[in-house]
Amino acid sequence: MERAITGVKPTGRLHIGNYFGAILPTLQLSEDYETLIFIADYHALNYIKTAEELKDYSLRLASGYLACGLDPQKIIFFRQSDIPEVFELNWILSNVTPKGLMNRAHAYKAMVEQNEQNSLEKDQNVNMGLYNYPILMSADILLYNTKYVPVGLDQKQHCEIARDIAQIFNNRYGKTFALPEPKIEEDVAVITGLDGRKMSKSYNNTIELFCDEKDLRKSVNKIITDSKLPGEPKDPDCTLAKIYGLFASKEETIAYKDKLKDGLGWGDAKKELFEVMNSFLTPMRDKYNYYMQNPLEVEKILQEGAKKARIIAKKMLNKIRKKIGVNELFNN
Ligand code: ADP
Ligand code: TRP
């Protein structure tokens, strides 16, 4: 089986956009690929500025993926910071990475453009973690000699950078790395948020995946509707119906849309949506709460995963060390 790897940043609480847009499609990969999924905590360091938050989001992310059905027997699930080899490779790759390649990376360019618009110095608020981010991501990918990198469209450029870096290294030292390819699912739906825009933390319009029943009800009640009264026909493609469709069967969704067209009041429509979401999410929430209350169990799973990942990583790093003229690590 070919290998696929993806990293997820612990930068907030998971929401239903993450579940349908990223978690579900990633978990399905293990049917076709030898799959590695890791918590990219050292990538999050650029966004999360307190130890408590980084710890909390990392545990939530790990518990979340496990609650969503990640089977650690099938998927190598680990934490980036548990793999010291990746940081050594990060340094090695820094030495084959042209600075110009980093100047063109989207996240950095966006910061520069924003600074220029605000008449600020071009590199204001840019730290080297942001600037070098694509090199660390390349190390994540190349350390496992991975062919496929399942990511969202926003990460396509980073995968291309990893490929460029692999090529430069291969040209200098001889074929070492497989050339990675982004694997972008074209037909993954964009999940709508409370206000009808794309659900995103940055829009503050999310429905948390594992919130308790009370908060779930509150979120559903916050979904924006028009001001049509009960009895008036409603748009069957409204936000409520879109979200309903994610959690119910096709037949149930058709029936729900028919009721909306027939004048179901928004209040009742929200009650029905809450019920269908809550019965879908309750078993997942229960599992999530179990893991959150048993962090040592999560820790054990991540450490087991790291052991498996390090077997691949050490072998690869030794090969790379030899290529560049550095001794193989002893005690290996
Ligand atoms: P956010 O926009 O809330 O900060 P992230 O950037 O952390 O979300 O997204 C993590 C993953 O979840 C990415 O792969 C992204 O494509 C996916 N994702 C986030 N929001 C949505 C959405 N509304 N619909 C589909 N996928 C989403
Ligand atoms: N940069 C990715 C993101 O923001 C996360 C990530 C880090 C990643 N390392 C990776 C994704 C390696 C795929 C492969 O979502």
Side-chain angles (χ1 to χ4, degrees), residues 57-88:
Y57 287 150
S58 297
L59 175 64
R60 286 182 188 280
L61 193 57
S63 301
Y65 268 72
L66 291 167
C68 292
L70 185 150
D71 177 354
Q73 301 306 324
K74 286 199 190 140
I75 290 177
I76 303 183
F77 185 44
F78 61 102
R79 193 169 33 208
Q80 184 185 33
S81 57
D82 286 334
I83 315 292
E85 290 76 11
V86 80
F87 306 102
E88 183 171 338

PDB file of all heavy atoms in Angstrom, residues 57-88:
ATOM      1  N   TYR A  57      -5.740  22.116  23.571  1.00  0.00           N
ATOM      2  CA  TYR A  57      -6.191  21.870  22.195  1.00  0.00           C
ATOM      3  C   TYR A  57      -5.622  20.562  21.640  1.00  0.00           C
ATOM      4  O   TYR A  57      -6.274  19.881  20.843  1.00  0.00           O
ATOM      5  CB  TYR A  57      -5.786  23.033  21.282  1.00  0.00           C
ATOM      6  CG  TYR A  57      -6.595  24.298  21.500  1.00  0.00           C
ATOM      7  CD1 TYR A  57      -6.025  25.561  21.266  1.00  0.00           C
ATOM      8  CD2 TYR A  57      -7.916  24.248  21.913  1.00  0.00           C
ATOM      9  CE1 TYR A  57      -6.755  26.727  21.456  1.00  0.00           C
ATOM     10  CE2 TYR A  57      -8.646  25.410  22.103  1.00  0.00           C
ATOM     11  CZ  TYR A  57      -8.063  26.641  21.872  1.00  0.00           C
ATOM     12  OH  TYR A  57      -8.787  27.794  22.056  1.00  0.00           O
ATOM     13  N   SER A  58      -4.405  20.211  22.068  1.00  0.00           N
ATOM     14  CA  SER A  58      -3.822  18.971  21.568  1.00  0.00           C
ATOM     15  C   SER A  58      -4.600  17.767  22.090  1.00  0.00           C
ATOM     16  O   SER A  58      -4.914  16.847  21.340  1.00  0.00           O
ATOM     17  CB  SER A  58      -2.348  18.845  21.975  1.00  0.00           C
ATOM     18  OG  SER A  58      -1.613  19.893  21.391  1.00  0.00           O
ATOM     19  N   LEU A  59      -4.936  17.811  23.402  1.00  0.00           N
ATOM     20  CA  LEU A  59      -5.714  16.705  23.976  1.00  0.00           C
ATOM     21  C   LEU A  59      -7.100  16.646  23.329  1.00  0.00           C
ATOM     22  O   LEU A  59      -7.615  15.577  22.997  1.00  0.00           O
ATOM     23  CB  LEU A  59      -5.830  16.871  25.498  1.00  0.00           C
ATOM     24  CG  LEU A  59      -6.726  15.837  26.194  1.00  0.00           C
ATOM     25  CD1 LEU A  59      -6.156  14.418  26.054  1.00  0.00           C
ATOM     26  CD2 LEU A  59      -6.907  16.175  27.683  1.00  0.00           C
ATOM     27  N   ARG A  60      -7.697  17.823  23.122  1.00  0.00           N
ATOM     28  CA  ARG A  60      -9.033  17.851  22.509  1.00  0.00           C
ATOM     29  C   ARG A  60      -8.996  17.282  21.093  1.00  0.00           C
ATOM     30  O   ARG A  60      -9.901  16.574  20.660  1.00  0.00           O
ATOM     31  CB  ARG A  60      -9.587  19.283  22.476  1.00  0.00           C
ATOM     32  CG  ARG A  60     -10.028  19.766  23.821  1.00  0.00           C
ATOM     33  CD  ARG A  60     -10.616  21.172  23.778  1.00  0.00           C
ATOM     34  NE  ARG A  60     -10.855  21.658  25.124  1.00  0.00           N
ATOM     35  CZ  ARG A  60     -11.912  21.336  25.860  1.00  0.00           C
ATOM     36  NH1 ARG A  60     -12.851  20.559  25.359  1.00  0.00           N
ATOM     37  NH2 ARG A  60     -12.044  21.789  27.089  1.00  0.00           N
ATOM     38  N   LEU A  61      -7.944  17.614  20.381  1.00  0.00           N
ATOM     39  CA  LEU A  61      -7.835  17.141  18.995  1.00  0.00           C
ATOM     40  C   LEU A  61      -7.653  15.618  18.963  1.00  0.00           C
ATOM     41  O   LEU A  61      -8.324  14.924  18.192  1.00  0.00           O
ATOM     42  CB  LEU A  61      -6.645  17.836  18.318  1.00  0.00           C
ATOM     43  CG  LEU A  61      -6.551  17.717  16.819  1.00  0.00           C
ATOM     44  CD1 LEU A  61      -7.804  18.251  16.157  1.00  0.00           C
ATOM     45  CD2 LEU A  61      -5.341  18.485  16.297  1.00  0.00           C
ATOM     46  N   ALA A  62      -6.768  15.133  19.819  1.00  0.00           N
ATOM     47  CA  ALA A  62      -6.532  13.686  19.846  1.00  0.00           C
ATOM     48  C   ALA A  62      -7.808  12.957  20.271  1.00  0.00           C
ATOM     49  O   ALA A  62      -8.241  12.001  19.619  1.00  0.00           O
ATOM     50  CB  ALA A  62      -5.388  13.362  20.800  1.00  0.00           C
ATOM     51  N   SER A  63      -8.451  13.438  21.348  1.00  0.00           N
ATOM     52  CA  SER A  63      -9.683  12.805  21.818  1.00  0.00           C
ATOM     53  C   SER A  63     -10.756  12.876  20.734  1.00  0.00           C
ATOM     54  O   SER A  63     -11.529  11.936  20.542  1.00  0.00           O
ATOM     55  CB  SER A  63     -10.218  13.514  23.063  1.00  0.00           C
ATOM     56  OG  SER A  63      -9.263  13.491  24.086  1.00  0.00           O
ATOM     57  N   GLY A  64     -10.775  14.001  20.044  1.00  0.00           N
ATOM     58  CA  GLY A  64     -11.768  14.215  18.990  1.00  0.00           C
ATOM     59  C   GLY A  64     -11.609  13.217  17.853  1.00  0.00           C
ATOM     60  O   GLY A  64     -12.578  12.586  17.423  1.00  0.00           O
ATOM     61  N   TYR A  65     -10.409  13.053  17.362  1.00  0.00           N
ATOM     62  CA  TYR A  65     -10.196  12.104  16.262  1.00  0.00           C
ATOM     63  C   TYR A  65     -10.526  10.682  16.710  1.00  0.00           C
ATOM     64  O   TYR A  65     -11.123   9.908  15.958  1.00  0.00           O
ATOM     65  CB  TYR A  65      -8.756  12.205  15.711  1.00  0.00           C
ATOM     66  CG  TYR A  65      -8.665  13.188  14.556  1.00  0.00           C
ATOM     67  CD1 TYR A  65      -8.762  14.556  14.782  1.00  0.00           C
ATOM     68  CD2 TYR A  65      -8.529  12.748  13.237  1.00  0.00           C
ATOM     69  CE1 TYR A  65      -8.705  15.457  13.741  1.00  0.00           C
ATOM     70  CE2 TYR A  65      -8.473  13.648  12.185  1.00  0.00           C
ATOM     71  CZ  TYR A  65      -8.558  15.001  12.433  1.00  0.00           C
ATOM     72  OH  TYR A  65      -8.516  15.898  11.386  1.00  0.00           O
ATOM     73  N   LEU A  66     -10.157  10.347  17.943  1.00  0.00           N
ATOM     74  CA  LEU A  66     -10.469   8.993  18.438  1.00  0.00           C
ATOM     75  C   LEU A  66     -11.988   8.827  18.543  1.00  0.00           C
ATOM     76  O   LEU A  66     -12.536   7.800  18.155  1.00  0.00           O
ATOM     77  CB  LEU A  66      -9.800   8.761  19.794  1.00  0.00           C
ATOM     78  CG  LEU A  66      -8.262   8.666  19.737  1.00  0.00           C
ATOM     79  CD1 LEU A  66      -7.656   8.749  21.138  1.00  0.00           C
ATOM     80  CD2 LEU A  66      -7.812   7.377  19.037  1.00  0.00           C
ATOM     81  N   ALA A  67     -12.664   9.873  19.048  1.00  0.00           N
ATOM     82  CA  ALA A  67     -14.122   9.791  19.182  1.00  0.00           C
ATOM     83  C   ALA A  67     -14.813   9.685  17.823  1.00  0.00           C
ATOM     84  O   ALA A  67     -15.887   9.111  17.698  1.00  0.00           O
ATOM     85  CB  ALA A  67     -14.639  11.014  19.937  1.00  0.00           C
ATOM     86  N   CYS A  68     -14.171  10.230  16.809  1.00  0.00           N
ATOM     87  CA  CYS A  68     -14.760  10.170  15.461  1.00  0.00           C
ATOM     88  C   CYS A  68     -14.478   8.820  14.798  1.00  0.00           C
ATOM     89  O   CYS A  68     -14.845   8.605  13.642  1.00  0.00           O
ATOM     90  CB  CYS A  68     -14.218  11.279  14.575  1.00  0.00           C
ATOM     91  SG  CYS A  68     -14.749  12.906  15.070  1.00  0.00           S
ATOM     92  N   GLY A  69     -13.773   7.950  15.495  1.00  0.00           N
ATOM     93  CA  GLY A  69     -13.598   6.604  14.956  1.00  0.00           C
ATOM     94  C   GLY A  69     -12.202   6.287  14.470  1.00  0.00           C
ATOM     95  O   GLY A  69     -11.993   5.240  13.840  1.00  0.00           O
ATOM     96  N   LEU A  70     -11.223   7.164  14.725  1.00  0.00           N
ATOM     97  CA  LEU A  70      -9.865   6.825  14.309  1.00  0.00           C
ATOM     98  C   LEU A  70      -9.427   5.556  15.052  1.00  0.00           C
ATOM     99  O   LEU A  70      -9.487   5.507  16.282  1.00  0.00           O
ATOM    100  CB  LEU A  70      -8.906   7.974  14.632  1.00  0.00           C
ATOM    101  CG  LEU A  70      -7.462   7.797  14.133  1.00  0.00           C
ATOM    102  CD1 LEU A  70      -6.835   9.150  13.836  1.00  0.00           C
ATOM    103  CD2 LEU A  70      -6.564   7.033  15.094  1.00  0.00           C
ATOM    104  N   ASP A  71      -9.039   4.542  14.298  1.00  0.00           N
ATOM    105  CA  ASP A  71      -8.597   3.282  14.898  1.00  0.00           C
ATOM    106  C   ASP A  71      -7.074   3.249  14.898  1.00  0.00           C
ATOM    107  O   ASP A  71      -6.455   3.123  13.844  1.00  0.00           O
ATOM    108  CB  ASP A  71      -9.182   2.122  14.077  1.00  0.00           C
ATOM    109  CG  ASP A  71      -8.699   0.774  14.591  1.00  0.00           C
ATOM    110  OD1 ASP A  71      -7.838   0.740  15.484  1.00  0.00           O
ATOM    111  OD2 ASP A  71      -9.207  -0.240  14.084  1.00  0.00           O
ATOM    112  N   PRO A  72      -6.468   3.375  16.086  1.00  0.00           N
ATOM    113  CA  PRO A  72      -4.993   3.459  16.132  1.00  0.00           C
ATOM    114  C   PRO A  72      -4.305   2.167  15.687  1.00  0.00           C
ATOM    115  O   PRO A  72      -3.094   2.165  15.487  1.00  0.00           O
ATOM    116  CB  PRO A  72      -4.686   3.762  17.601  1.00  0.00           C
ATOM    117  CG  PRO A  72      -5.951   3.712  18.334  1.00  0.00           C
ATOM    118  CD  PRO A  72      -7.079   3.462  17.413  1.00  0.00           C
ATOM    119  N   GLN A  73      -5.073   1.094  15.527  1.00  0.00           N
ATOM    120  CA  GLN A  73      -4.470  -0.125  14.962  1.00  0.00           C
ATOM    121  C   GLN A  73      -4.326   0.010  13.452  1.00  0.00           C
ATOM    122  O   GLN A  73      -3.480  -0.625  12.838  1.00  0.00           O
ATOM    123  CB  GLN A  73      -5.340  -1.367  15.256  1.00  0.00           C
ATOM    124  CG  GLN A  73      -5.581  -1.645  16.731  1.00  0.00           C
ATOM    125  CD  GLN A  73      -4.266  -1.731  17.512  1.00  0.00           C
ATOM    126  OE1 GLN A  73      -3.249  -2.230  17.017  1.00  0.00           O
ATOM    127  NE2 GLN A  73      -4.279  -1.192  18.728  1.00  0.00           N
ATOM    128  N   LYS A  74      -5.185   0.822  12.862  1.00  0.00           N
ATOM    129  CA  LYS A  74      -5.174   0.952  11.394  1.00  0.00           C
ATOM    130  C   LYS A  74      -4.417   2.172  10.929  1.00  0.00           C
ATOM    131  O   LYS A  74      -3.922   2.227   9.803  1.00  0.00           O
ATOM    132  CB  LYS A  74      -6.625   1.069  10.882  1.00  0.00           C
ATOM    133  CG  LYS A  74      -7.377  -0.223  10.912  1.00  0.00           C
ATOM    134  CD  LYS A  74      -8.572  -0.098   9.975  1.00  0.00           C
ATOM    135  CE  LYS A  74      -9.534  -1.260  10.124  1.00  0.00           C
ATOM    136  NZ  LYS A  74     -10.925  -0.808  10.057  1.00  0.00           N
ATOM    137  N   ILE A  75      -4.428   3.229  11.763  1.00  0.00           N
ATOM    138  CA  ILE A  75      -3.801   4.494  11.374  1.00  0.00           C
ATOM    139  C   ILE A  75      -2.689   4.793  12.374  1.00  0.00           C
ATOM    140  O   ILE A  75      -2.889   4.633  13.584  1.00  0.00           O
ATOM    141  CB  ILE A  75      -4.851   5.631  11.384  1.00  0.00           C
ATOM    142  CG1 ILE A  75      -5.839   5.425  10.219  1.00  0.00           C
ATOM    143  CG2 ILE A  75      -4.193   7.008  11.308  1.00  0.00           C
ATOM    144  CD1 ILE A  75      -6.960   6.433  10.162  1.00  0.00           C
ATOM    145  N   ILE A  76      -1.533   5.203  11.889  1.00  0.00           N
ATOM    146  CA  ILE A  76      -0.465   5.603  12.816  1.00  0.00           C
ATOM    147  C   ILE A  76      -0.782   7.023  13.261  1.00  0.00           C
ATOM    148  O   ILE A  76      -0.742   7.963  12.466  1.00  0.00           O
ATOM    149  CB  ILE A  76       0.922   5.511  12.144  1.00  0.00           C
ATOM    150  CG1 ILE A  76       1.172   4.079  11.630  1.00  0.00           C
ATOM    151  CG2 ILE A  76       2.009   5.930  13.138  1.00  0.00           C
ATOM    152  CD1 ILE A  76       2.547   3.859  11.022  1.00  0.00           C
ATOM    153  N   PHE A  77      -1.163   7.156  14.526  1.00  0.00           N
ATOM    154  CA  PHE A  77      -1.672   8.435  15.044  1.00  0.00           C
ATOM    155  C   PHE A  77      -0.698   8.918  16.113  1.00  0.00           C
ATOM    156  O   PHE A  77      -0.456   8.227  17.107  1.00  0.00           O
ATOM    157  CB  PHE A  77      -3.060   8.172  15.644  1.00  0.00           C
ATOM    158  CG  PHE A  77      -3.782   9.403  16.120  1.00  0.00           C
ATOM    159  CD1 PHE A  77      -3.807  10.572  15.355  1.00  0.00           C
ATOM    160  CD2 PHE A  77      -4.471   9.393  17.328  1.00  0.00           C
ATOM    161  CE1 PHE A  77      -4.497  11.691  15.789  1.00  0.00           C
ATOM    162  CE2 PHE A  77      -5.175  10.502  17.774  1.00  0.00           C
ATOM    163  CZ  PHE A  77      -5.180  11.652  16.999  1.00  0.00           C
ATOM    164  N   PHE A  78      -0.113  10.095  15.905  1.00  0.00           N
ATOM    165  CA  PHE A  78       0.944  10.538  16.814  1.00  0.00           C
ATOM    166  C   PHE A  78       0.998  12.059  16.887  1.00  0.00           C
ATOM    167  O   PHE A  78       0.231  12.757  16.209  1.00  0.00           O
ATOM    168  CB  PHE A  78       2.297   9.961  16.368  1.00  0.00           C
ATOM    169  CG  PHE A  78       2.732  10.394  14.987  1.00  0.00           C
ATOM    170  CD1 PHE A  78       3.687  11.391  14.831  1.00  0.00           C
ATOM    171  CD2 PHE A  78       2.203   9.814  13.831  1.00  0.00           C
ATOM    172  CE1 PHE A  78       4.103  11.803  13.572  1.00  0.00           C
ATOM    173  CE2 PHE A  78       2.607  10.215  12.566  1.00  0.00           C
ATOM    174  CZ  PHE A  78       3.554  11.211  12.437  1.00  0.00           C
ATOM    175  N   ARG A  79       1.920  12.516  17.714  1.00  0.00           N
ATOM    176  CA  ARG A  79       2.083  13.959  17.910  1.00  0.00           C
ATOM    177  C   ARG A  79       3.430  14.338  17.309  1.00  0.00           C
ATOM    178  O   ARG A  79       4.446  13.680  17.560  1.00  0.00           O
ATOM    179  CB  ARG A  79       2.052  14.190  19.422  1.00  0.00           C
ATOM    180  CG  ARG A  79       1.895  15.580  19.883  1.00  0.00           C
ATOM    181  CD  ARG A  79       1.612  15.600  21.390  1.00  0.00           C
ATOM    182  NE  ARG A  79       2.295  14.524  22.069  1.00  0.00           N
ATOM    183  CZ  ARG A  79       1.872  13.954  23.198  1.00  0.00           C
ATOM    184  NH1 ARG A  79       0.797  14.370  23.804  1.00  0.00           N
ATOM    185  NH2 ARG A  79       2.548  12.978  23.740  1.00  0.00           N
ATOM    186  N   GLN A  80       3.419  15.392  16.522  1.00  0.00           N
ATOM    187  CA  GLN A  80       4.637  15.849  15.834  1.00  0.00           C
ATOM    188  C   GLN A  80       5.812  16.024  16.805  1.00  0.00           C
ATOM    189  O   GLN A  80       6.931  15.613  16.538  1.00  0.00           O
ATOM    190  CB  GLN A  80       4.315  17.175  15.155  1.00  0.00           C
ATOM    191  CG  GLN A  80       5.403  17.773  14.302  1.00  0.00           C
ATOM    192  CD  GLN A  80       4.970  19.140  13.790  1.00  0.00           C
ATOM    193  OE1 GLN A  80       4.246  19.873  14.468  1.00  0.00           O
ATOM    194  NE2 GLN A  80       5.386  19.469  12.590  1.00  0.00           N
ATOM    195  N   SER A  81       5.530  16.623  17.973  1.00  0.00           N
ATOM    196  CA  SER A  81       6.613  16.943  18.901  1.00  0.00           C
ATOM    197  C   SER A  81       7.250  15.702  19.524  1.00  0.00           C
ATOM    198  O   SER A  81       8.273  15.802  20.194  1.00  0.00           O
ATOM    199  CB  SER A  81       6.109  17.876  20.006  1.00  0.00           C
ATOM    200  OG  SER A  81       5.016  17.277  20.667  1.00  0.00           O
ATOM    201  N   ASP A  82       6.643  14.530  19.327  1.00  0.00           N
ATOM    202  CA  ASP A  82       7.236  13.293  19.852  1.00  0.00           C
ATOM    203  C   ASP A  82       8.243  12.683  18.883  1.00  0.00           C
ATOM    204  O   ASP A  82       8.784  11.614  19.150  1.00  0.00           O
ATOM    205  CB  ASP A  82       6.143  12.260  20.158  1.00  0.00           C
ATOM    206  CG  ASP A  82       5.372  12.618  21.421  1.00  0.00           C
ATOM    207  OD1 ASP A  82       5.951  13.309  22.285  1.00  0.00           O
ATOM    208  OD2 ASP A  82       4.202  12.220  21.537  1.00  0.00           O
ATOM    209  N   ILE A  83       8.477  13.350  17.759  1.00  0.00           N
ATOM    210  CA  ILE A  83       9.361  12.783  16.745  1.00  0.00           C
ATOM    211  C   ILE A  83      10.558  13.732  16.568  1.00  0.00           C
ATOM    212  O   ILE A  83      10.539  14.619  15.693  1.00  0.00           O
ATOM    213  CB  ILE A  83       8.622  12.643  15.373  1.00  0.00           C
ATOM    214  CG1 ILE A  83       7.229  12.049  15.544  1.00  0.00           C
ATOM    215  CG2 ILE A  83       9.470  11.843  14.374  1.00  0.00           C
ATOM    216  CD1 ILE A  83       7.195  10.594  15.983  1.00  0.00           C
ATOM    217  N   PRO A  84      11.600  13.588  17.362  1.00  0.00           N
ATOM    218  CA  PRO A  84      12.722  14.538  17.259  1.00  0.00           C
ATOM    219  C   PRO A  84      13.369  14.533  15.872  1.00  0.00           C
ATOM    220  O   PRO A  84      13.921  15.556  15.456  1.00  0.00           O
ATOM    221  CB  PRO A  84      13.708  14.047  18.330  1.00  0.00           C
ATOM    222  CG  PRO A  84      13.205  12.737  18.809  1.00  0.00           C
ATOM    223  CD  PRO A  84      11.768  12.599  18.441  1.00  0.00           C
ATOM    224  N   GLU A  85      13.261  13.412  15.178  1.00  0.00           N
ATOM    225  CA  GLU A  85      13.890  13.311  13.847  1.00  0.00           C
ATOM    226  C   GLU A  85      13.388  14.397  12.895  1.00  0.00           C
ATOM    227  O   GLU A  85      14.113  14.837  12.013  1.00  0.00           O
ATOM    228  CB  GLU A  85      13.619  11.933  13.223  1.00  0.00           C
ATOM    229  CG  GLU A  85      14.347  10.774  13.888  1.00  0.00           C
ATOM    230  CD  GLU A  85      13.724  10.332  15.228  1.00  0.00           C
ATOM    231  OE1 GLU A  85      12.606  10.789  15.555  1.00  0.00           O
ATOM    232  OE2 GLU A  85      14.377   9.559  15.947  1.00  0.00           O
ATOM    233  N   VAL A  86      12.149  14.816  13.086  1.00  0.00           N
ATOM    234  CA  VAL A  86      11.571  15.764  12.120  1.00  0.00           C
ATOM    235  C   VAL A  86      12.262  17.133  12.244  1.00  0.00           C
ATOM    236  O   VAL A  86      12.405  17.870  11.263  1.00  0.00           O
ATOM    237  CB  VAL A  86      10.028  15.862  12.256  1.00  0.00           C
ATOM    238  CG1 VAL A  86       9.580  16.743  13.396  1.00  0.00           C
ATOM    239  CG2 VAL A  86       9.406  16.339  10.960  1.00  0.00           C
ATOM    240  N   PHE A  87      12.721  17.433  13.465  1.00  0.00           N
ATOM    241  CA  PHE A  87      13.335  18.751  13.661  1.00  0.00           C
ATOM    242  C   PHE A  87      14.777  18.765  13.151  1.00  0.00           C
ATOM    243  O   PHE A  87      15.285  19.795  12.724  1.00  0.00           O
ATOM    244  CB  PHE A  87      13.181  19.171  15.120  1.00  0.00           C
ATOM    245  CG  PHE A  87      11.731  19.092  15.513  1.00  0.00           C
ATOM    246  CD1 PHE A  87      11.247  18.027  16.272  1.00  0.00           C
ATOM    247  CD2 PHE A  87      10.815  20.009  15.015  1.00  0.00           C
ATOM    248  CE1 PHE A  87       9.886  17.909  16.548  1.00  0.00           C
ATOM    249  CE2 PHE A  87       9.457  19.904  15.283  1.00  0.00           C
ATOM    250  CZ  PHE A  87       8.997  18.843  16.061  1.00  0.00           C
ATOM    251  N   GLU A  88      15.391  17.605  13.166  1.00  0.00           N
ATOM    252  CA  GLU A  88      16.720  17.507  12.559  1.00  0.00           C
ATOM    253  C   GLU A  88      16.601  17.629  11.029  1.00  0.00           C
ATOM    254  O   GLU A  88      17.356  18.365  10.393  1.00  0.00           O
ATOM    255  CB  GLU A  88      17.383  16.176  12.933  1.00  0.00           C
ATOM    256  CG  GLU A  88      18.795  16.076  12.387  1.00  0.00           C
ATOM    257  CD  GLU A  88      19.563  14.870  12.921  1.00  0.00           C
ATOM    258  OE1 GLU A  88      19.222  14.329  13.988  1.00  0.00           O
ATOM    259  OE2 GLU A  88      20.524  14.473  12.239  1.00  0.00           O
TER     260      GLU A  88
END
